[in-house]
Amino acid sequence: MTPASAADPKRWWALAVIALAQLMVILDGTIVNIALPSAQRALGMPDADRQWVITAYTLAFGGLLLLGGRIADLVGRKRAFVIGLAGFAVASALGGAAAGPGTLFAARALQGAFAAVLAPSALSLLTTTFTDPRERAKAFGVYGALAGGGSGAGLLVGGLLTEYLNWRWCLYVNVPVALAALIGAQVFLRDRSGRRGGHLDVPGVLLGSGGLVALVYGFSEAGPRGWTSPWVAAPLMAGVILLAAFVWWQHRAAGPLLPLRIFRDRSRAGAFATMGLATIGMFGVFLFLTYYFQAVLGYPPVRTGLAFMPVSVGIVIGATQIAARLLPRTAPHTLMASGMVLAAAGMVLLSRLTVHAQYVPHVLPGLLLVGLGMGLTFMPVYATATVGVPTQDTGAASAALTTVQQIGASLGTALLNTIATGATGRHRRADSGTALAEAMVHGFSVAYWCSAGVLLLAALVAALTVRRGKPSQAGSKPSA
């Protein structure tokens, strides 16, 4: 055991606090999905505006992550963690008490903004708290399980709260969770203060956050409007231009928002690419199976949430019981590539679903394979992407990884939804007698095949780019 780990006897309690906060952030990405129809009726929300309950959160979260990561580096990770928790609790209470759509949209945007401060600081604290390889593997196993399985758990919790209480509790539930984490943070978390003399890269904030917001918005609008709509093409083009300018500026800035030296190591860059491709492919499961369970099989909200649980269970087992045990003596790229191949196999099984499929023999095997594969992948990705980063850059590196995950989710949702919708329309035009449910399932099947292809590409990227050894320190010469 390393001295750093031995000097902090409260490190496992610290892991519990960090995990609780991370779970809250991940849950809120999906917990309101099933509650959305109830909230829409209660607040008199027009159909055209309901997407903003989801989009306001993802825009603020995805667009401000780089800023949140650098704030953690400048003011200190523990302080940023506490600020994020407190702000998230206040925003959640505001949203739960909303009397109209505008207040709810604003509260969701505030949630996303404080989550953008909370998530990078949580991952940074985990990186600096656990330095022993075996302990680090266990800690990142827990973190990877929550990061991957939290979305599925959010659907279940949202269904339970909506059906047995009301939709407002999907927001109120964050308040006691955040307060518990705040108390735990004061007792168990240890961290050095922020960088002295550091300053915020204001041009970098404007270019980076603006580019990310434009990209996330463009991807979120692609589904309802189509890729050729000016409301999609213009934000995507603006996002690409702003991010290109952001990269140019980061090469020249004295105190860059995102130090590009982080990406010079091949293994770290490969882990980032693997995460992006994995989240693009993974979100087909949550997007299409939600419709499949409710619109095709007729499941109520709680049963729909329960139907997703095998994905979360598979991720937990894959991350904590398999990957965490194997990583200290197994090359990270082996776990990542194997996980992506398993997840791709699960997508292929899901592509064979029909309108008359039964859950246990037809749906369950695919969900378990996807969950196990994601658990095997996420855990070594988080560990590889953050190890070896200088202490002053851990917030920026953590924010960059979470940004890649968020952008991948937004792109995957928009891209796969477009593919599925187009395949459904073509199938109905080719056979006018085809029922809508059959055409929908056909569209989902085509999208699942595309997801499988993306996941296999992720396996190839991991196998070719991630080396056996740990990444070198950013800015230093990579190890052979």
Side-chain angles (χ1 to χ4, degrees):
M1 183 178 296
T2 64
S5 294
D8 187 6
K10 298 179 179 180
R11 61 194 178 280
W12 295 109
W13 285 107
L15 173 62
V17 173
I18 293 168
L20 185 63
Q22 174 67 10
L23 180 61
M24 182 180 66
V25 171
I26 297 297
L27 283 175
D28 260 68
T30 56
I31 195 171
V32 300
N33 287 27
I34 293 177
L36 187 53
S38 300
Q40 183 179 358
R41 289 192 298 270
L43 300 180
M45 193 184 306
D47 287 347
D49 293 342
R50 64 186 176 189
Q51 65 166 330
W52 284 102
V53 177
I54 309 298
T55 305
Y57 182 84
T58 57
L59 275 178
F61 186 31
L64 298 176
L65 272 166
L66 294 180
L67 174 60
R70 189 43 89 189
I71 287 174
D73 287 333
L74 293 176
V75 307
R77 286 164 286 276
K78 179 180 176 180
R79 185 178 298 173
F81 185 83
V82 169
I83 292 172
L85 278 173
F88 201 92
V90 171
S92 298
L94 178 64
T103 304
L104 180 58
F105 299 156
R108 289 287 286 167
L110 279 176
Q111 278 187 313
F114 283 108
V117 176
L118 179 59
S121 58
L123 183 53
S124 299
L125 285 166
L126 193 69
T127 301
T128 55
T129 299
F130 292 91
T131 55
D132 177 77
R134 291 189 178 275
E135 290 191 350
R136 185 184 180 88
K138 293 178 182 178
F140 274 96
V142 173
Y143 191 90
L146 293 176
S151 296
L155 293 171
L156 173 60
V157 174
L160 289 170
L161 292 174
T162 301
E163 191 160 324
Y164 295 112
L165 292 173
N166 63 56
W167 67 270
R168 295 182 184 276
W169 279 97
C170 291
L171 295 158
Y172 283 143
V173 71
N174 293 317
V175 177
V177 173
L179 290 177
L182 275 170
I183 296 172
Q186 298 299 333
V187 176
F188 300 117
L189 293 185
R190 301 287 181 269
D191 185 41
R192 286 180 288 181
S193 60
R195 292 169 55 187
R196 293 183 179 179
H199 68 277
L200 194 61
D201 175 19
V202 176
V205 169
L206 296 176
L207 293 172
S209 297
L212 290 172
V213 166
L215 278 186
V216 174
Y217 178 79
F219 290 146
S220 66
E221 291 293 301
R225 296 181 184 272
W227 290 94
T228 58
S229 168
W231 291 98
V232 175
L236 291 180
M237 186 178 301
V240 170
I241 293 172
L242 287 172
L243 290 179
F246 171 75
V247 172
W248 172 83
W249 173 252
Q250 297 307 285
H251 277 293
R252 290 154 178 78
L257 182 67
L258 179 62
L260 298 181
R261 56 182 176 269
I262 291 171
F263 303 101
R264 289 176 186 165
D265 182 89
R266 193 180 73 183
S267 290
R268 189 176 295 115
F272 274 81
T274 301
M275 173 61 84
L277 291 169
T279 50
I280 288 174
M282 176 185 175
F283 269 75
V285 173
F286 298 114
L287 177 64
F288 304 127
L289 283 182
T290 299
Y291 286 100
Y292 180 75
F293 289 143
Q294 297 192 57
V296 178
L297 299 185
Y299 285 11
V302 172
R303 189 176 179 185
T304 298
L306 286 170
F308 279 106
M309 288 312 294
V311 178
S312 299
V313 171
I315 290 175
V316 170
I317 293 173
T320 63
Q321 301 304 309
I322 302 177
R325 296 174 187 269
L326 292 178
L327 185 61
R329 57 182 184 272
T330 305
H333 71 267
T334 301
L335 295 176
M336 295 180 200
S338 300
M340 288 292 88
V341 170
L342 271 181
M347 290 293 182
V348 172
L349 290 182
L350 293 175
S351 72
R352 301 170 64 86
L353 295 179
T354 67
V355 293
H356 304 296
Q358 296 179 330
Y359 182 80
V360 173
H362 302 123
V363 182
L364 182 59
L367 293 182
L368 288 174
L369 283 178
V370 170
L372 284 171
M374 291 297 171
L376 279 174
T377 302
F378 283 155
M379 184 266 164
V381 162
Y382 278 110
T384 302
T386 54
V387 69
V389 177
T391 303
Q392 70 269 20
D393 292 333
T394 55
S398 302
L401 183 60
T402 310
T403 299
V404 168
Q405 189 176 9
Q406 184 69 25
I407 293 296
S410 299
L411 175 57
T413 301
L415 183 60
L416 293 172
N417 183 58
T418 301
I419 292 171
T421 303
T424 297
R426 289 191 297 273
H427 191 70
R428 295 205 77 188
R429 288 193 296 271
D431 184 358
S432 57
T434 300
L436 177 59
E438 293 179 359
M440 286 176 59
V441 172
H442 171 76
F444 297 162
S445 177
V446 172
Y448 285 132
W449 276 107
C450 293
S451 292
V454 172
L455 297 177
L456 289 176
L457 178 60
L460 182 63
V461 168
L464 294 179
T465 61
V466 180
R467 296 186 300 266
R468 177 174 294 275
K470 72 178 183 179
S472 61
Q473 283 213 347
S476 65
K477 184 179 179 180
S479 58

